[in-house]
Amino acid sequence: MLQKSSGFRQFGIGMSDFSEELIKSVTEDDRRETCELSGTGMQLPWLQKHIETVDTGGKKEKDFAQTTSACLSFIQEALLKHQWQQAAEYMHSYLQILEDSDSYKRQAAPEIIWKLGSEILYYHPKSNVEMFNTFADRMKNIGVMNYLKISLQHALYLLHHGMLEDANRNLSQAETWRYGEKSSSQEVLINLIQAYKGLLQYYAWSKKKRELSQLDKDDYAYNTASQSMRDHSWKTSVNLGALIQIPGVWDPFVKSYVEMLEFYGDQDGAREVLTNYAYDEKFPSNPNAHIYLYNFLKREKAPREKLISVLKILYQIVPSHKLMLEFHRLLRKSEKEEHLKLGLEVLFGVLDFAGCTKNITAWKYLAKCLRQTLMGSHLAWVQEEWNSRKNWWPGFHFSYFWAKSDWKEDKTLACEKALVAGILLGKGCRYFRYISKQDHQVSRKKIKRMKKLVKKYSIVNPGL
Amino acid sequence: MDLEEAKEFKERCAQCAAVSWGLTDEGKYYCTSCHNVTERSKEVIDTGAIPNTKIQAINRGLKRKRKLEKGWDWYVCEGFQHILYQQAEALKTLGVGPELKNEVLHNFWKRYLQKSKQAYCKNPVYTSKRKATVLEDNPSHSDWDSEPELLSDLSCPSFVESGAESQPDVHTQKPFPIIKASQSETASICSGSLDGVEYSLRKEKGIVKMTVPRTLAFCYLSLLWQRETITLSDLLRFVEEDHIPYINAFQYFPEEMKLYGRDKGIFAIESWPNYEDIYKKMIEVATFLDLPRFPDITEDCYLHPNILCMKYLMEVNLPDEMHNLTCQVVKMAGIGEVDFLTFDPIAKMAKTVKYDVQAVAVIVVVLKLLFLLDDNLEWSLSNIAEKYNEKNKEDKPWFDFRKWYQVMKKSVDEKKQKWEEARAKYLWKSEKPLYHSSIDRSVVYKRREMVVNLQKQFSTLVDSTPTVAKKTASSFQFNWTEEDTDRTCFHGHSLQGILKKKGQSLTTKNSLYWLSTQKFCKSYCKHVTTYEESNFSLSYQFILNLFSFLLRIKTSFLHEEVSLIEKRLFKAKYSKTKKKSSRSRKVRKY
């Protein structure tokens, strides 16, 4: 329910480590390792995991264990079906697990109860903020392991209900909470809590910024406003700075941090943050990191080489990204042969994706690029790309069905595609034949030109 | 603070993993390295994992606090007596005659105390043991020999004379009045009862130790002796439906009977009773008590297969006419004889009939005789019945297996769903939580309080109208009416379509039969056959599932009983070594 931002997703990963810790009590080093591992991979549904960790030790399971686990599945089912009342009914019974004589289950229970209970209280029509607060406060104090996590989620709940001040108070409270020695997982959580506090401060800051932009510079109020903005930004950067040093996906935090740095003219600081966020090996691979960096460099008017190197990485992660066409343009402008070759590759890559099949710009670029490449007598480049696609592109892009529907929907697109099809598959291909047979005044000229080009450049030798 | 005392405590700290404990003034452990007080991280102390010796060691430092726990001095067997008393009362409210409690159960229990040398004998276990130690401690006191009489005088009437009207407090008169202070102190270290620790350690050969499940064995033995109209499966179902105290039965102990420590292991139960288990225990107890032959089970007794078959035919909505056939099967298999049916614990091989399971198995056999249940014949017979019923709307309808299946399937699935939901909602934990030692007493109580508070919160989200009022106990689980099409009643339907005239008598149209088990284990493992569901027809599976749900037993258990009846019925087939064909021909007269 609260999993809105990607920052929160990361938080979820941290949490699973946490419960593992409870169960296995791993050594410090091991813990670091699992932390990193889980940062890279997907997370399994947590409940299933809890169920699987339950070990009966070969003994016949007691009915208590059996019914409570049945109860858990009933709650899950009710939640899936949005039957909040039934879920609450089962929850009433499931709470017994807090008294389970099996200490493993008892330890794992608060987290499960918190997650299910907060879900119920979030959606149940009879529930209210007060109720949620009481529940959260109770759950925070069952054991000590969940205090920070619950505090954070509690704050997110309050944010959801627009209670920014309460959320802030909650986060401040959690921030100062300490339990014994600071363990590494606690540290991550505290950083997250601080970062969310930072985010709230950023929100206040940008509100001030808006107000400021409406004020006259000579206005008396201007100075005070700009001073308080500065205060906010200083606090924010302190809060955000710590978190984004830690490997993870922190998109909203990074974005707001960079915005503030840029606003105060600290370009170097912003660049450093973004470069680190995109290039640090310890961070999980994150397309957004490269996009942010690229946009920043573009704003800065960085040299083309630099921009190309950023997008090259994005190309490896997300070859279908909409920035790829921009990437192609950059490459096309470059003099280097390898860049021209990459430019062709990028276009083929974009069109491999079903979502891009109707992208007219991509087809236009490809037609143009093919022509230029073949004109530059780089037939080998084209063949290299085509070889891996000749088995499936004809059916995927150039079928009779597509020819008909493309022609009906968008004649320009159909013409561009037909040109590409002609070049790659020769005059005989169905798509090309269908389009070239169309007799339409507007596109007659275009088709004629297309036929000429195909005749000239087609990589298929009609003689063979 | 007492670091010396805390050395015994070897658990790792939840917070910093150190093993360095101190004791606060309240006697709680705190970690000296991170100042983590254990009460907050109560998960850490699970005394269940700590061997007994440790508990004693820990407790040594906490003697001064034990005064809080002081209640009456009581023995474990008194606890069981109390549970039995509650159960007998509950049975009485279910309509069982008062003699069961006042005469039968009371006598069985007296006999048990005697046989297990706990009372009513010359040298009860408690006194003999205690005497030895006490004499060492306090040789001046030597008045112990009089105790057996004392004990029998005081503890025996508590069961009987406590009529229905006054809540009989077994324990206002202390059955064991002379207890040395030093004794009670050592004993109460690990249990609220005087002999909890000793009791849980005792392992005497030939003595059947009392447990909570065995209380039900006692109840069932008394019911059987009285030939009451409650079968074992009924009894266990009533337990599950909370009509008879069992889980948390200790809740109803008088306030002053404190339970903790080892008592937890003895009286806390986290499972419902299981048919096979209680059945075994019942025989075990009867043998141990050396009971004489039980009153005869004759044809007019409820437990006689003919009557039980009638009951179950009604329960599962089958035609009354089938009763005639079940009676014949009972007769041919010889399972209606008094000698066969009457329980005789002193007999060479003490075993008793599982009356309910057997009756149900007879019905399964009859269904097999009539419909073969090969996923084929039953459906073609249904087609015939359906056609006939359409044409002859005025006549008594022929029994249509398919229609019956549809009605039953729906009802059973609904019932099962409700049953599963009710089980999932069952509240196991008593309002009076049990704890291992005075250390975690406050933790346990606090946890209890927390759960109650959370439950309160969630109960405000539940619809205030009570979903199901507590069901009244009934030996019937289904209710069939003629009007409602969903619960059509088949009792009055006729078997005409399935039978045919042959000379003077009627025989079944179906002349085939297949045996549920072809081979019986020759060894003494008693294991008849394993029930591999997928090897059997779907109709057979359905019927076994239906009946085993009704009795709350495993399907394999019922399958075994069906096989045993077939073995008696087709003795010839089994004795004629290994037939090639699995199908035997059988023509039956009607």
Side-chain angles (χ1 to χ4, degrees):
Chain A
M1 66 162 187
L2 295 168
Q3 301 206 352
K4 283 279 143 67
S5 68
S6 46
F8 197 78
R9 200 173 61 226
Q10 174 60 24
F11 177 55
I13 291 164
M15 216 135 61
S16 76
D17 286 343
F18 215 64
S19 49
E20 262 167 30
E21 242 176 74
L22 279 169
I23 289 160
K24 284 185 212 143
S25 88
V26 283
T27 62
E28 197 70 18
D29 290 350
D30 290 343
R31 200 182 299 162
R32 285 253 158 73
E33 227 168 77
T34 51
C35 214
E36 279 166 26
L37 275 176
S38 60
T40 56
M42 288 274 286
Q43 202 196 348
L44 287 166
W46 54 274
L47 272 173
Q48 201 51 44
K49 207 160 126 195
H50 278 292
I51 293 162
E52 278 158 14
T53 50
V54 172
D55 190 22
T56 49
K59 270 183 249 162
K60 193 188 166 283
E61 202 181 35
K62 285 193 173 142
D63 286 339
F64 173 73
Q66 193 247 317
T67 59
T68 44
S69 84
C71 189
L72 178 58
S73 357
F74 277 121
I75 298 175
Q76 289 170 302
E77 201 186 313
L79 287 180
L80 267 179
K81 293 181 183 165
H82 292 209
Q83 300 167 333
W84 314 116
Q85 188 158 309
Q86 267 99 310
E89 246 169 79
Y90 285 114
M91 196 65 192
H92 180 266
S93 301
Y94 187 68
L95 290 165
Q96 302 180 81
I97 199 153
L98 289 169
E99 292 180 271
D100 200 321
S101 49
D102 180 338
S103 62
Y104 279 148
K105 281 196 204 165
R106 209 169 54 215
Q107 280 176 341
E111 196 178 328
I112 302 178
I113 288 174
W114 163 249
K115 286 188 178 177
L116 297 174
S118 54
E119 188 91 351
I120 294 169
L121 288 173
Y122 187 83
Y123 289 107
H124 198 289
K126 274 196 218 159
S127 163
N128 52 37
V129 176
E130 218 170 286
M131 224 170 194
F132 193 95
N133 287 346
T134 322
F135 179 63
D137 287 337
R138 264 190 196 128
M139 292 311 294
K140 276 178 207 172
N141 293 312
I142 295 182
V144 291
M145 296 311 201
N146 301 306
Y147 188 91
L148 292 175
K149 278 182 282 182
I150 294 176
S151 294
L152 184 49
Q153 291 186 20
H154 187 189
L156 291 177
Y157 171 86
L158 293 169
L159 276 182
H160 239 268
H161 285 74
M163 302 163 76
L164 300 188
E165 264 173 52
D166 293 81
N168 198 28
R169 201 175 320 118
N170 230 294
L171 290 170
S172 306
Q173 226 168 56
E175 189 186 21
T176 49
W177 185 85
R178 283 292 177 282
Y179 195 77
E181 274 177 69
K182 214 160 137 189
S183 71
S184 64
S185 47
Q186 255 185 57
E187 210 173 296
V188 177
L189 279 170
I190 289 175
N191 279 329
L192 251 174
I193 284 167
Q194 285 171 339
Y196 269 99
K197 241 183 100 180
L199 217 53
L200 279 176
Q201 281 153 356
Y202 163 80
Y203 179 75
W205 177 81
S206 59
K207 221 162 93 184
K208 285 253 157 62
K209 200 174 96 175
R210 241 177 297 137
E211 281 167 25
L212 203 63
S213 65
Q214 282 155 10
L215 284 176
D216 192 356
K217 260 206 175 172
D218 302 323
D219 199 315
Y220 171 73
Y222 186 88
N223 269 336
T224 28
S226 104
Q227 184 54 42
S228 94
M229 229 177 105
R230 259 184 198 284
D231 287 349
H232 273 287
S233 81
W234 182 77
K235 272 193 249 161
T236 313
S237 55
V238 169
N239 279 324
L240 293 175
L243 178 75
I244 57 182
Q245 300 298 318
I246 305 163
V249 178
W250 312 120
D251 293 351
F253 306 102
V254 169
K255 247 178 114 169
S256 28
Y257 190 39
V258 167
E259 190 190 329
M260 281 205 269
L261 288 174
E262 272 189 285
F263 185 80
Y264 291 108
D266 187 0
Q267 306 297 333
D268 295 334
R271 190 181 312 110
E272 199 192 314
V273 166
L274 286 172
T275 314
N276 184 55
Y277 191 52
Y279 287 112
D280 194 328
E281 298 241 306
K282 284 188 234 98
F283 279 65
S285 148
N286 176 6
N288 285 345
H290 300 281
I291 294 164
Y292 296 159
L293 181 59
Y294 172 75
N295 286 332
F296 175 78
L297 291 173
K298 222 167 92 177
R299 280 197 296 274
E300 246 196 351
K301 306 223 164 21
R304 194 195 296 140
E305 272 305 307
K306 185 111 199 185
L307 294 174
I308 287 178
S309 73
V310 175
L311 286 182
K312 218 182 217 170
I313 300 176
L314 184 63
Y315 168 62
Q316 272 149 22
I317 315 174
V318 195
S320 63
H321 197 275
K322 60 174 188 274
L323 274 177
M324 286 303 113
L325 293 178
E326 208 170 318
F327 183 39
H328 169 79
R329 280 201 300 273
L330 283 172
L331 291 166
R332 203 164 57 191
K333 281 183 208 148
S334 166
E335 311 280 280
K336 283 192 200 160
E337 218 169 58
E338 62 172 298
H339 280 166
L340 294 176
K341 185 171 181 238
L342 184 62
L344 182 67
E345 245 177 79
V346 166
L347 287 177
F348 270 106
V350 167
L351 289 168
D352 279 343
F353 288 88
C356 307
T357 48
K358 294 208 168 144
N359 190 330
I360 182 150
T361 325
W363 286 109
K364 211 183 253 167
Y365 282 180
L366 182 61
K368 198 172 160 193
C369 187
L370 280 172
R371 213 171 65 216
Q372 274 167 356
T373 312
L374 293 168
M375 230 162 34
S377 57
H378 289 298
L379 181 64
W381 294 358
V382 178
Q383 271 166 342
E384 192 184 313
E385 292 305 316
W386 181 241
N387 272 340
S388 59
R389 293 178 173 91
K390 64 181 174 200
N391 289 332
W392 61 282
W393 267 39
F396 184 59
H397 288 307
F398 305 132
S399 64
Y400 183 70
F401 166 77
W402 277 124
K404 244 167 63 178
S405 84
D406 285 346
W407 181 255
K408 210 167 139 198
E409 273 175 38
D410 188 346
K411 307 223 165 17
T412 334
L413 172 73
C415 286
E416 295 298 338
K417 271 182 85 172
L419 176 53
V420 174
I423 291 174
L424 294 171
L425 289 161
K427 278 192 294 200
C429 103
R430 261 179 298 186
Y431 198 96
F432 180 76
R433 263 191 355 231
Y434 181 84
I435 303 294
S436 55
K437 262 190 253 157
Q438 301 302 317
D439 191 33
H440 192 269
Q441 322 162 315
V442 186
S443 41
R444 196 173 293 152
K445 215 173 135 195
K446 228 181 198 168
I447 290 170
K448 209 172 161 192
R449 196 179 71 101
M450 180 184 86
K451 282 183 185 162
K452 215 176 91 193
L453 285 171
V454 167
K455 208 169 177 185
K456 199 165 166 195
Y457 294 115
S458 180
I459 60 170
V460 184
N461 191 341
L464 292 178
Chain B
M1 292 188 203
D2 197 345
L3 291 174
E4 223 24 60
E5 298 281 3
K7 274 199 176 152
E8 310 290 343
F9 191 55
K10 290 274 160 53
E11 297 275 15
R12 282 186 175 277
C13 172
Q15 198 51 53
C16 65
V19 188
S20 165
W21 297 101
L23 275 180
T24 64
D25 291 340
E26 292 90 21
K28 284 165 195 152
Y29 286 95
Y30 74 93
C31 176
T32 53
S33 74
C34 69
H35 300 276
N36 166 23
V37 181
T38 46
E39 200 202 332
R40 285 206 61 181
S41 59
K42 51 241 168 208
E43 292 87 357
V44 180
I45 300 186
D46 183 10
T47 29
I50 305 173
N52 180 30
T53 49
K54 258 189 199 161
I55 296 175
Q56 291 187 345
I58 289 167
N59 277 276
R60 221 190 303 130
L62 298 160
K63 271 176 202 159
R64 56 207 123 98
K65 290 188 63 250
R66 215 175 305 120
K67 282 181 205 97
L68 291 169
E69 307 308 317
K70 207 75 196 115
W72 285 335
D73 291 327
W74 61 281
Y75 285 89
V76 169
C77 69
E78 287 176 279
F80 287 120
Q81 183 168 312
H82 211 279
I83 294 176
L84 282 171
Y85 173 80
Q86 300 289 343
Q87 289 171 338
E89 279 292 302
L91 284 171
K92 215 164 82 179
T93 46
L94 289 179
V96 171
E99 309 80 35
L100 178 121
K101 179 178 138 225
N102 297 343
E103 285 159 31
V104 186
L105 186 54
H106 176 241
N107 272 318
F108 284 170
W109 180 241
K110 235 160 63 175
R111 208 172 163 108
Y112 172 77
L113 290 176
Q114 195 173 32
K115 289 271 179 193
S116 59
K117 301 206 178 65
Q118 297 187 75
Y120 305 104
C121 59
K122 270 280 158 240
N123 205 9
V125 270
Y126 301 120
T127 45
S128 61
K129 273 196 187 153
R130 197 177 321 119
K131 187 156 65 180
T133 39
V134 166
L135 284 177
E136 271 172 33
D137 283 355
N138 189 359
S140 66
H141 198 96
S142 55
D143 203 22
W144 288 96
D145 287 275
S146 59
E147 202 183 82
E149 283 82 44
L150 199 83
L151 183 134
S152 47
D153 282 352
L154 284 171
S155 67
C156 95
S158 64
F159 217 83
V160 184
E161 74 192 17
S162 60
E165 59 293 335
S166 68
Q167 160 71 28
D169 232 336
V170 185
H171 312 276
T172 37
Q173 316 155 299
K174 285 187 193 166
F176 307 98
I178 314 161
I179 280 122
K180 298 300 300 159
S182 64
Q183 222 63 64
S184 73
E185 206 151 287
T186 11
S188 61
I189 277 171
C190 293
S191 64
S193 58
L194 287 170
D195 59 337
V197 179
E198 196 192 328
Y199 191 88
S200 48
L201 293 174
R202 194 183 304 147
K203 267 188 206 120
E204 256 171 273
K205 233 185 155 186
I207 297 253
V208 171
K209 225 162 93 174
M210 202 53 197
T211 59
V212 181
R214 285 207 174 94
T215 58
L216 293 179
F218 272 90
C219 287
Y220 182 63
L221 280 174
S222 327
L223 288 169
L224 188 57
W225 188 277
Q226 288 299 98
R227 295 179 286 186
E228 286 289 346
T229 56
I230 294 181
T231 60
L232 181 52
S233 59
D234 287 336
L235 178 73
L236 302 188
R237 191 160 49 81
F238 293 154
V239 167
E240 205 185 286
E241 289 169 3
D242 261 347
H243 296 299
I244 295 171
Y246 179 74
I247 283 148
N248 296 333
F250 60 84
Q251 273 190 106
Y252 311 110
F253 286 7
E255 188 58 38
E256 291 82 356
M257 274 173 83
K258 303 284 181 198
L259 278 95
Y260 55 89
R262 281 308 172 96
D263 303 330
K264 189 178 175 183
I266 300 169
F267 291 105
I269 289 288
E270 293 203 325
S271 279
W272 284 294
N274 158 288
Y275 191 106
E276 286 168 79
D277 181 51
I278 303 297
Y279 173 78
K280 263 186 225 140
K281 288 195 160 63
M282 187 267 280
I283 294 176
E284 202 179 59
V285 169
T287 324
F288 175 69
L289 297 185
D290 211 13
L291 294 177
R293 183 180 152 114
F294 275 51
D296 286 348
I297 304 288
T298 49
E299 261 178 66
D300 53 349
C301 288
Y302 179 72
L303 295 176
H304 191 276
N306 286 349
I307 293 180
L308 276 181
C309 277
M310 192 69 212
K311 187 226 148 172
Y312 287 115
L313 283 173
M314 279 166 76
E315 177 82 310
V316 299
N317 204 5
L318 283 168
D320 299 336
E321 284 180 24
M322 272 177 70
H323 189 235
N324 216 324
L325 289 165
T326 60
C327 289
Q328 288 208 37
V329 169
V330 167
K331 202 171 164 196
M332 285 185 63
I335 54 176
E337 319 281 314
V338 172
D339 283 342
F340 176 80
L341 290 170
T342 305
F343 181 35
D344 188 0
I346 333 179
K348 217 174 176 186
M349 275 275 278
K351 64 166 188 174
T352 177
V353 177
K354 297 156 203 151
Y355 303 95
D356 36 12
V357 186
Q358 193 189 57
V360 158
V362 168
I363 296 175
V364 175
V365 168
V366 170
L367 282 169
K368 275 170 85 178
L369 284 167
L370 288 174
F371 298 100
L372 192 60
L373 303 184
D374 65 345
D375 283 344
N376 189 10
L377 187 73
E378 62 271 39
W379 306 124
S380 49
L381 288 172
S382 304
N383 291 340
I384 298 169
E386 199 185 339
K387 263 182 216 150
Y388 174 88
N389 288 344
E390 259 168 41
K391 269 190 231 150
N392 307 278
K393 289 215 165 99
E394 300 303 305
D395 292 7
K396 192 179 181 187
W398 284 5
F399 179 70
D400 180 344
F401 186 86
R402 180 181 294 117
K403 239 174 142 192
W404 175 80
Y405 167 80
Q406 283 161 350
V407 169
M408 288 313 288
K409 172 84 178 147
K410 193 158 174 277
S411 312
V412 169
D413 285 351
E414 271 166 25
K415 257 265 160 13
K416 228 178 201 164
Q417 178 70 20
K418 280 214 187 100
W419 177 70
E420 269 160 15
E421 285 171 7
R423 275 167 75 100
K425 282 186 192 162
Y426 190 82
L427 293 175
W428 291 91
K429 298 296 176 182
S430 85
E431 290 140 36
K432 214 162 101 180
L434 293 180
Y435 47 93
H436 284 289
S437 63
S438 36
I439 304 175
D440 55 19
R441 179 179 189 272
S442 62
V443 174
V444 167
Y445 271 90
K446 224 171 153 184
R447 197 181 287 150
R448 177 74 239 176
E449 195 191 312
M450 189 173 73
V451 169
V452 169
N453 283 334
L454 285 168
Q455 280 177 335
K456 252 187 226 149
Q457 192 174 14
F458 278 94
S459 53
T460 58
L461 298 177
V462 176
D463 207 359
S464 49
T465 52
T467 39
V468 223
K470 202 181 171 186
K471 271 194 288 181
T472 44
S474 162
S475 56
F476 283 98
Q477 298 174 61
F478 287 106
N479 180 21
W480 309 108
T481 50
E482 200 57 77
E483 295 82 46
D484 191 351
T485 41
D486 271 357
R487 351 194 93 255
T488 314
C489 176
F490 291 92
H491 293 155
H493 289 213
S494 98
L495 294 178
Q496 265 196 5
I498 313 157
L499 303 170
K500 62 177 178 198
K501 260 215 154 68
K502 196 179 180 190
Q504 285 289 51
S505 57
L506 281 167
T507 61
T508 59
K509 266 192 185 161
N510 164 42
S511 57
L512 299 172
Y513 195 87
W514 53 272
L515 294 171
S516 296
T517 302
Q518 291 162 46
K519 278 185 225 161
F520 281 90
C521 250
K522 286 230 171 94
S523 62
Y524 296 99
C525 72
K526 276 191 195 162
H527 132 260
V528 182
T529 169
T530 46
Y531 175 58
E532 176 58 53
E533 214 178 38
S534 56
N535 291 343
F536 293 91
S537 66
L538 294 171
S539 315
Y540 184 70
Q541 282 176 40
F542 169 74
I543 281 162
L544 281 202
N545 282 328
L546 164 66
F547 280 113
S548 50
F549 169 68
L550 225 50
L551 303 184
R552 311 280 196 268
I553 55 174
K554 277 191 283 185
T555 31
S556 58
F557 196 51
L558 177 55
H559 176 77
E560 191 179 304
E561 196 70 26
V562 172
S563 307
L564 285 172
I565 290 180
E566 285 176 355
K567 193 182 174 189
R568 298 180 75 99
L569 213 51
F570 305 113
K571 250 181 242 137
K573 287 286 167 216
Y574 279 107
S575 56
K576 260 186 237 160
T577 49
K578 286 156 220 155
K579 271 269 170 197
K580 290 147 267 162
S581 149
S582 65
R583 295 209 160 155
S584 71
R585 290 179 61 83
K586 185 77 199 166
V587 180
R588 306 198 23 87
K589 298 234 165 140
Y590 185 65

